[in-house]
Amino acid sequence: MNKKWLAILAMATLAMVAGCSSNPPEQSGAAVEDHSANTIKNADVAKVTPDKLDGTSMAALKDPKSILSRRSVYFDYDSFVVKEEFKPLVEAHAKFLIANPKMKMLIQGNADERGSREYNLALGQKRAEALRKMYSLLGVRDEQIEAVSLGEEKPKNTGHDESAWAENRRDDMLYTGEF
């Protein structure tokens, strides 16, 4: 009886070891997803010279005709989900960061004045992290992005109505030299 269990244990161990092959997926015959077709196309961003932080690339960040001059993503009340309307903006900034690997971005998460100070700090952090995760999924290196919360401390609009609050529920994106 002991020999039977020992044989079963040995076979199970061999099966586990065989299942833990160290071959990379492309060598083991497993399918590998190809994301090379998921490129971002934007004429404003295409002009950026990779690896150069010269006047051309910096000018694109400040040119009002460039999508890169837009630096805020706005959120719904009590939400940290990036709205569909801001995805082209995020994709353009992602392409810029990928083309300029020495460039870094600081994402400042903000909230309106409603809610406690602690709650607003947490919500601002969730908003900044949601945007940071989007950049990471688009191929931006993690060391290029930092996400912080300012809570309600840096309002864009100091009013006390819905239109003011809507302006304050946002992430601001700052580049190297701006923070």
Side-chain angles (χ1 to χ4, degrees):
M1 191 72 128
N2 265 344
K3 289 183 181 180
K4 181 179 177 183
W5 285 107
L6 190 57
I8 292 172
L9 181 61
M11 288 175 57
T13 303
L14 285 173
M16 284 177 29
V17 170
C20 295
S21 171
S22 62
N23 291 338
E26 60 271 10
Q27 293 176 355
S28 66
V32 177
E33 251 183 278
D34 180 15
H35 294 283
S36 62
N38 296 343
T39 57
I40 300 160
K41 295 179 174 93
N42 183 300
D44 294 331
V45 181
K47 297 175 187 171
V48 176
T49 307
D51 241 359
K52 289 188 178 177
L53 299 179
D54 60 14
T56 306
S57 59
M58 294 306 289
L61 293 173
K62 297 183 191 298
D63 181 0
K65 295 176 193 165
S66 170
I67 191 170
L68 296 174
S69 68
R70 294 179 32 217
R71 304 289 189 80
S72 295
V73 172
Y74 294 91
F75 295 87
D76 289 330
Y77 174 71
D78 201 29
S79 173
F80 54 92
V81 175
V82 178
K83 296 186 220 181
E84 197 66 36
E85 68 189 86
F86 292 104
K87 290 184 179 176
L89 174 66
V90 174
E91 290 171 349
H93 282 282
K95 186 169 182 181
F96 179 84
L97 285 164
I98 291 166
N100 294 280
K102 292 180 182 175
M103 191 67 95
K104 294 184 189 275
M105 176 187 280
L106 175 66
I107 302 169
Q108 296 177 334
N110 295 275
D112 61 38
E113 65 187 14
R114 298 172 291 177
S116 70
R117 186 166 194 253
E118 294 79 15
Y119 178 81
N120 287 337
L121 279 171
L123 182 57
Q125 190 65 39
K126 287 179 182 178
R127 288 174 174 164
E129 288 295 331
L131 195 54
R132 187 199 59 76
K133 181 160 181 133
M134 279 187 74
Y135 282 118
S136 180
L137 292 171
L138 289 168
V140 177
R141 293 185 352 257
D142 287 338
E143 54 273 1
Q144 284 182 272
I145 305 283
E146 184 179 351
V148 298
S149 176
L150 299 178
E152 61 191 73
E153 301 302 316
K154 190 179 172 189
K156 191 176 263 190
N157 187 325
T158 57
H160 304 287
D161 59 5
E162 182 53 42
S163 65
W165 295 329
E167 287 184 60
N168 295 333
R169 296 189 302 259
R170 71 190 191 285
D171 278 347
D172 291 325
M173 300 172 282
L174 306 171
Y175 280 95
T176 303
E178 297 176 330
F179 57 90

